């Protein structure tokens, strides 16, 4: 999934399926997670969607800082027994500072907000800092 898709905020599509992401070869973090979850489930590996904040802690400063992000978790038997492990198909490397807001089968289960009628987002800022 990491090498198949090209990340592009401008190509975000709320109706893109895992198959669409695979064939279009572009998406946002949600699409990376959906494709990776689909591939895991095809191999009978339990996988779930996770979303929340992912700051830029422990990585070089980015002029376009992170905000909401999506990743996935798989249920594997590890050295300490079976548990859920976090993976991020977009970044494809361990990151620190994840703040989980929701977990579910896919993005539909994990709406960041739900509103009825028009809702204008005037401003949105997320700040994360590493503490000692």
């Amino acid at each position: 999934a990491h090498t198949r898709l090209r990340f592009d905020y401008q190509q975000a599509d709320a109706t893109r399926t895992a198959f669409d992401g695979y064939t279009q070869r572009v998406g946002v973090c949600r699409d990376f997670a959906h494709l990776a979850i689909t591939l895991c489930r095809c191999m009978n590996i339990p996988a779930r969607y996770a979303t929340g904040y992912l700051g830029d802690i422990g990585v070089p400063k980015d002029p376009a800082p992170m905000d909401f992000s999506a990743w996935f978790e798989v249920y594997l038997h590890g050295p300490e027994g079976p548990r859920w492990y976090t993976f991020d198909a977009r970044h494809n490397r361990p990151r620190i500072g994840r703040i989980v807001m929701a977990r579910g089968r896919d993005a539909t289960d994990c709406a960041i907000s739900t509103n009825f009628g028009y809702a204008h987002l005037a401003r949105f800022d997320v700040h994360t800092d590493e503490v000692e």
Side-chain angles (χ1 to χ4, degrees), residues 33-48 72-76 87:
H34 279 159
L35 180 55
I37 289 166
T38 299
L39 295 172
C40 285
R41 290 176 180 168
C42 286
M43 295 183 292
N44 207 28
I45 299 170
R48 65 185 181 189
F72 69 108
E73 298 174 344
V74 297
Y75 194 74
L76 299 172
F87 292 93

Side-chain angles (χ1 to χ4, degrees), residues 20-121:
D20 291 339
Y22 181 82
T23 56
Q24 296 168 6
R25 300 186 70 125
V26 67
V28 293
C29 54
R30 173 188 62 239
D31 303 307
F32 281 77
H34 279 159
L35 180 55
I37 289 166
T38 299
L39 295 172
C40 285
R41 290 176 180 168
C42 286
M43 295 183 292
N44 207 28
I45 299 170
R48 65 185 181 189
Y49 183 90
T51 190
Y53 297 115
L54 177 60
D56 291 323
I57 298 172
V59 296
K61 291 290 180 195
D62 187 332
M66 293 299 299
D67 50 42
F68 285 123
S69 190
W71 56 90
F72 69 108
E73 298 174 344
V74 297
Y75 194 74
L76 299 172
H77 293 272
E80 298 133 16
R83 69 176 183 90
W84 289 99
Y85 288 85
T86 299
F87 292 93
D88 189 333
R90 177 186 172 201
H91 295 102
N92 204 35
R93 65 177 184 261
R95 297 277 299 265
I96 59 174
R98 290 181 196 278
I99 301 171
V100 179
M101 292 178 61
R103 292 181 175 103
R105 293 167 294 183
D106 56 29
T108 303
D109 285 348
C110 302
I112 298 299
S113 67
T114 302
N115 60 287
F116 298 94
Y118 177 75
H120 176 74
L121 177 62

